Amino acid sequence: MTIAITGLGLIGASLAKAYKAAGHTVFGYDIDTTVTDHAIMTGVIDAKLDEGNLPRCELVLVALYPGATVEYLERNAAIFADDSIVIDCCGIKGEVCGRGFALAREHGFTFVGGHPMAGLQLSGYKHSTADLFVGATMIIVPEHSDDMGFLERVKQLLTPAGFAKVTVSTAQRHDEIIAFTSQMAHIASNAYIKSPTATDHKGFSAGSYRDMTRVAQLNAEMWTQLFIPNREPLLRELDGYIAALAEYRDAIAAEDSDTLVKLLREGSERKVMVEGQG
């Protein structure tokens, strides 16, 4: 299989390493030419991805920021092979899939929205690994979800990355759920670490601190591009979280033990119930 990967950051380079390790031909490109050159020199990719070899690729993986992904699709829509499948790897799906599906219909290739549910708090090529996606879930957003043969083909194309599960979703459902499971967690962690007390944590912190701050260190430019286009579901989650925090604050300020116990029990029971659904 011949694979095209554009964007050789953490996600794209990890995909390149996984597909190359599985024996496939990988053409890759990054806007940072030193990254592309290093990937060629170290055998992570076979050659630089360009307009000459892109039409030869049966699978195109786009690992760019949302805005850059749309620009890439628009710039290359006319040269993707008619039988190729193009999958993006963005953390939001609404605007990317909307444009991707339209371009695919116009130019004859097939577009599928994608979101690999794996990553690290550190970004960039140097942190990429061939096993980043082993055991992880890949969310895909096809334009039509009733063609089982096509979905199986997509699953097979993604097999070399090592995903344990492929989940099919709509763009709207993806963005609504990801606002809670991913975007809210990054905001809460990033805001939490801003406490002036954080500088004194050594010797006083354990697992709860590490868990809460794990994703505080993030790529600010990328996450801004994910938060703002997804602002409606994200704001709903934020407003609910802020309102819940206010209840805890008010109970503590009023020394209202009964209310505080109730709030804490509700959260604990909710955790058990939610995890029991998994």
Side-chain angles (χ1 to χ4, degrees):
M1 183 163 56
T2 303
I3 315 297
I5 300 177
T6 185
L8 296 175
L10 175 67
I11 299 300
S14 293
L15 287 167
K17 290 177 179 179
Y19 278 90
K20 188 62 181 169
H24 300 287
T25 299
V26 180
F27 297 133
Y29 171 80
D30 193 271
I31 193 171
D32 185 340
T33 56
T34 61
V35 170
T36 305
D37 292 344
H38 184 269
I40 294 171
M41 183 173 60
T42 55
V44 171
I45 61 176
D46 293 280
K48 178 182 176 181
L49 177 66
D50 57 30
E51 292 183 358
N53 53 37
L54 180 57
R56 295 166 49 193
C57 300
E58 54 197 287
L59 174 63
V60 180
L61 298 169
V62 186
L64 302 172
Y65 294 177
T69 294
V70 171
E71 291 175 6
Y72 180 81
L73 295 174
E74 291 174 340
R75 187 168 63 251
N76 293 285
I79 62 174
F80 292 136
D82 288 346
D83 60 350
S84 67
I85 293 181
V86 180
I87 304 176
D88 84 283
C89 298
C90 295
I92 53 171
K93 298 272 67 82
E95 65 175 25
V96 175
C97 286
R99 190 63 183 131
F101 293 147
L103 288 167
R105 289 193 299 270
E106 180 181 353
H107 293 279
F109 66 94
T110 301
F111 177 80
V112 178
H115 185 182
M117 300 302 295
L120 302 171
Q121 62 266 43
L122 300 173
S123 60
Y125 177 91
K126 66 180 180 180
H127 299 292
S128 61
T129 63
D131 62 354
L132 181 65
F133 308 106
V134 173
T137 296
M138 176 65 163
I139 301 172
I140 62 169
V141 180
E143 185 170 19
H144 306 289
S145 59
D146 55 354
D147 186 339
M148 298 306 295
F150 172 73
L151 295 178
E152 184 59 30
R153 181 188 173 200
V154 173
K155 184 177 179 180
Q156 291 302 315
L157 288 172
L158 292 169
T159 296
F163 294 106
K165 182 179 180 182
V166 175
T167 298
V168 180
S169 176
T170 64
Q172 180 179 352
R173 178 167 173 78
H174 169 277
D175 289 354
E176 289 174 348
I177 295 176
I178 219 70
F180 169 71
T181 60
S182 177
Q183 295 183 346
M184 271 289 297
H186 283 80
I187 290 174
S189 182
N190 190 264
Y192 173 78
I193 199 64
K194 292 178 181 177
S195 167
T197 312
T199 56
D200 300 321
H201 83 87
K202 291 183 180 179
F204 293 84
S205 59
S208 55
Y209 171 83
R210 289 193 298 271
D211 290 346
M212 188 68 182
T213 60
R214 187 181 68 81
V215 293
Q217 184 179 354
L218 46 71
N219 183 324
E221 290 76 16
M222 182 191 75
W223 283 100
T224 296
Q225 287 201 29
L226 297 175
F227 291 157
I228 292 179
N230 203 38
R231 59 190 174 276
E232 290 186 11
L234 182 54
L235 286 172
R236 284 197 296 271
E237 294 292 344
L238 270 172
D239 288 344
Y241 188 48
I242 291 168
L245 288 175
E247 291 187 80
Y248 290 87
R249 185 203 179 282
D250 290 348
I252 293 169
E255 300 181 44
D256 185 347
S257 298
D258 290 343
T259 297
L260 187 57
V261 167
K262 175 177 176 292
L263 291 171
L264 293 169
R265 281 179 177 165
E266 287 174 348
S268 181
E269 291 167 0
R270 177 69 170 167
K271 167 69 172 176
V272 172
M273 185 274 287
V274 168
E275 296 306 317
Q277 292 179 345

